[in-house]
């Protein structure tokens, strides 16, 4: 039996975003095919949810990983902490989890955070893609994107292609999975007012498009003022690390229009094991997004959760998840920033029982495609036979990360913010 360490950059705790939940699930599911798991957490160990599968829990300590991982046969690492693994224990076979394209996500925050995140993220990707032994991602879209980067860094080379023409042993698809059975429903929300349909947006990030949704809901109001609805937004659990400018803008808009607190409500992020309960408390998941590179590359974990919970979904064209939803007729897909098309999809989702039933059947078919046992097959194979890439030392290289300095006005504002709030 092999022993594999799981190292995730998001601390494991009761309230987690998608990456933390992903590693909680890996810790829960990888032991089933006979793999011994060690969970290395960057947060307080007392905050890690108590799961029977997590029998070996260790703290992440920078500079001490050689000791922490000395009895492990391999490691699956994600995010910034994967840098430490690669630098401190280079002899250990390492699978780099690229499920979350965080460099692309963080590009949206440069006006708020400056260019430092880009410099750090770019250097991190160069390091990880040049030194990792195996890589997993969420979709064909992501795999093609990362293959381009791997080629530029020398990881796609003649010996590698000769041994594995399709490069599945270099990078494989291992997305988020869907449980085939959920625990009994324990409602989180109080009962909605009689006749009210609840729409769940979820967390607000800068690449989403709440404005087209608000305009579409205004159209629904104009056409039928007797239709009762509420839109639920979820507060981010990592607000200290994720700028919440868009959330505040939406709240301000809704207050101006008299919707905040009545038609548009904010709820707290729920504990990871209760996320399906929240989805079963609502009638519809609706999360449109703007056209962007992030949209093309992201899988949208929230829609997989919606499929698992039997919650119908409405979203925008673009990216792997909308392709899956459309191919299986498992949701409503509309053109980006098309208010009328979104309003019509909402009308059908809320009022047409036959259309709703058809999408439910499609969602059930799609659910089988994302069964955890199926999506984790590439990682299970790596865990059973952890391997180092014999060609990387001869071909891989790390180009420098270049970027201009932040503009003087931004540097002055940053200095002032730190002076006022040094914490």
């Amino acid at each position: 039996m092999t022993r594999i360490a799981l190292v995730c950059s998001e601390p494991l705790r009761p309230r987690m975003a998608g990456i933390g939940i992903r590693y909680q699930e890996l810790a829960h599911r990888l032991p089933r095919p006979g793999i011994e798991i060690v969970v290395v957490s960057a947060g307080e160990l007392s905050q890690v949810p108590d799961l029977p599968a997590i029998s070996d829990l260790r703290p992440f300590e920078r500079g001490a990983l050689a000791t922490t991982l000395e009895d492990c046969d391999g490691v699956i690492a994600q995010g910034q902490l994967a840098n430490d693994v690669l630098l401190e224990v280079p002899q250990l076979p390492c699978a780099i989890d690229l499920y979350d394209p965080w460099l692309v996500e963080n590009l949206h925050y440069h006006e708020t955070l400056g260019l430092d995140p880009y410099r750090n993220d770019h250097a991190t990707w160069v390091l990880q893609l040049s030194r990792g032994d195996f890589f997993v991602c969420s979709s064909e879209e992501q795999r093609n994107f990362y293959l381009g980067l791997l080629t530029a860094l020398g990881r796609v080379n003649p010996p590698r292609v000769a041994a594995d023409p399709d490069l599945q042993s270099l990078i494989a698809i291992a997305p988020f999975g869907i449980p085939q059975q959920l625990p009994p429903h324990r409602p989180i929300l109080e009962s909605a007012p009689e006749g009210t349909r609840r729409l769940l947006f979820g967390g607000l990030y800068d690449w989403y498009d709440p404005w087209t949704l608000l305009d579409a809901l205004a159209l629904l109001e104009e056409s039928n003022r007797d239709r009762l609805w509420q839109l639920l937004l979820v507060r981010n659990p990592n607000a200290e690390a994720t700028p919440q400018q868009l959330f505040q803008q939406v709240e301000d808009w809704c207050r101006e229009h008299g919707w905040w607190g009545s038609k548009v409500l904010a709820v707290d992020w729920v504990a990871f094991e209760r996320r399906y309960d929240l989805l079963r408390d609502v009638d519809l998941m609706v999360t449109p997004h703007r056209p962007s590179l992030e949209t093309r590359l992201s899988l949208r974990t929230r829609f997989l959760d919606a499929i698992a919970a039997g919650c119908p979904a409405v979203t925008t064209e673009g990216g792997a998840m909308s392709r899956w939803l459309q191919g299986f007729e498992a949701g409503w897909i509309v053109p980006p920033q098309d208010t009328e098309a979104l309003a019509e999809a909402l009308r059908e989702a809320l009022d047409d029982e036959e259309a709703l039933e058809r999408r439910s059947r499609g969602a059930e078919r799609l659910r089988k495609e994302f069964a955890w046992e199926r999506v984790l097959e590439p990682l299970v194979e790596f865990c059973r036979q952890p391997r180092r890439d014999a060609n990387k030392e001869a071909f891989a290289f790390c180009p420098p990360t270049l970027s201009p300095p932040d503009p003087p006005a931004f540097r002055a504002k940053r200095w002032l913010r730190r002076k006022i709030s040094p914490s």
Side-chain angles (χ1 to χ4, degrees):
M1 179 182 292
T2 55
R3 182 181 291 118
I4 302 295
L6 299 178
V7 181
C8 171
S9 287
E10 181 178 4
L12 301 187
R13 52 193 175 188
R15 284 177 170 78
M16 297 179 287
I19 288 299
I21 294 172
R22 176 171 170 82
Y23 276 75
Q24 193 80 13
E25 293 282 4
L26 293 182
H28 177 56
R29 295 177 186 280
L30 285 176
R32 295 182 183 182
I35 297 158
E36 190 175 340
I37 292 298
V38 173
V39 175
V40 181
S41 179
E44 293 289 334
L45 297 191
S46 62
Q47 292 293 308
V48 177
D50 185 18
L51 282 181
I54 302 181
S55 59
D56 195 338
L57 180 62
R58 304 176 187 179
F60 177 90
E61 295 181 21
R62 184 164 283 121
L65 289 179
T67 301
T68 303
L69 305 179
E70 64 181 350
D71 59 345
C72 295
D73 302 297
V75 59
I76 300 170
Q78 182 277 336
Q80 302 289 343
L81 300 192
N83 297 349
D84 299 275
V85 173
L86 292 170
L87 294 172
E88 293 187 39
V89 281
Q91 74 282 2
L92 197 63
C94 184
I96 300 293
D97 185 359
L98 300 170
Y99 174 87
D100 179 16
W102 32 268
L103 179 149
V104 175
E105 293 177 357
N106 289 342
L107 295 176
H108 291 259
Y109 301 131
H110 81 276
E111 291 185 359
T112 304
L113 302 177
L115 288 171
D116 283 348
Y118 168 77
R119 297 183 190 101
N120 181 65
D121 294 347
H122 187 273
T124 290
W125 271 16
V126 168
L127 172 69
Q128 294 180 7
L129 290 163
S130 63
R131 296 197 182 188
D133 296 294
F134 177 58
F135 305 90
V136 293
C137 58
S138 71
S139 65
E140 287 290 352
E141 287 87 343
Q142 276 196 7
R143 187 170 188 266
N144 288 332
F145 175 76
Y146 289 126
L147 273 170
L149 295 171
L150 288 164
T151 301
L153 296 176
R155 300 303 302 277
V156 178
N157 50 64
R160 163 65 75 176
V161 174
D164 178 15
D166 196 38
L167 300 170
Q168 290 294 328
S169 62
L170 178 65
I171 179 167
I173 297 172
F176 211 90
I178 297 177
Q180 298 305 289
Q181 191 169 17
L182 299 184
H185 180 201
R186 294 183 293 154
I188 291 176
L189 304 175
E190 296 181 0
S191 298
E194 186 176 353
T196 299
R197 297 297 192 101
R198 279 176 165 159
L199 287 61
L200 179 63
F201 195 110
L204 270 176
Y205 301 96
D206 283 14
W207 44 88
Y208 287 125
D209 179 19
W211 309 114
T212 299
L213 175 57
L214 294 173
D215 289 341
L217 290 170
L219 282 182
L220 289 184
E221 282 281 281
E222 292 175 9
S223 64
N224 182 0
R225 295 195 178 277
D226 293 331
R227 182 188 286 108
L228 302 176
W229 56 269
Q230 287 181 334
L231 175 65
L232 305 182
L233 309 176
V234 179
R235 299 183 184 93
N236 193 284
N238 300 315
E240 69 280 0
T242 306
Q244 296 296 285
Q245 182 176 344
L246 182 59
F247 191 104
Q248 189 60 55
Q249 290 171 349
V250 169
E251 179 179 343
D252 293 343
W253 187 96
C254 291
R255 288 187 184 278
E256 290 175 8
H257 289 76
W259 284 9
W260 191 257
S262 56
K263 291 188 173 297
V264 180
L265 308 175
V267 297
D268 289 329
W269 201 281
V270 301
F272 82 98
E273 75 274 9
R274 301 294 305 278
R275 65 192 190 279
Y276 299 120
D277 291 324
L278 178 61
L279 283 159
R280 288 185 283 189
D281 285 346
V282 303
D283 299 286
L284 190 66
M285 161 72 78
V286 51
T287 311
H289 48 244
R290 294 181 292 110
S292 69
L293 178 60
E294 190 282 335
T295 290
R296 289 182 179 275
L297 296 179
S298 289
L299 185 65
R300 302 281 185 248
T301 308
R302 65 182 67 185
F303 287 106
L304 289 176
D305 288 344
I307 290 168
C311 178
V314 178
T315 190
T316 313
E317 292 173 355
M321 184 47 58
S322 63
R323 173 170 56 80
W324 282 100
L325 291 171
Q326 194 162 30
F328 280 75
E329 201 176 3
W332 285 262
I333 312 299
V334 301
Q337 299 173 312
D338 190 330
T339 300
E340 293 185 358
L342 182 54
E344 182 56 36
L346 292 174
R347 258 191 221 100
E348 188 172 283
L350 295 174
D351 299 342
D352 189 334
E353 291 296 330
E354 183 179 340
L356 186 60
E357 178 60 30
R358 188 165 63 250
R359 264 68 172 192
S360 296
R361 291 194 298 268
E364 187 59 34
R365 294 193 301 272
L366 184 54
R367 185 174 184 162
K368 296 174 183 176
E369 293 289 324
F370 283 89
W372 273 111
E373 293 74 16
R374 180 170 182 166
V375 303
L376 288 183
E377 286 176 359
L379 271 177
V380 170
E381 182 181 349
F382 171 83
C383 291
R384 284 178 171 156
Q385 292 184 310
R387 57 193 182 272
R388 297 190 72 240
D389 183 350
N391 295 317
K392 69 180 180 182
E393 301 299 338
F395 287 91
F397 66 100
C398 294
T401 292
L402 303 176
S403 72
D406 289 305
F410 176 85
R411 296 203 302 270
K413 289 180 182 178
R414 180 171 57 193
W415 178 85
L416 186 59
R417 284 196 304 268
R418 291 173 178 172
K419 196 75 172 175
I420 296 173
S421 304
S423 59

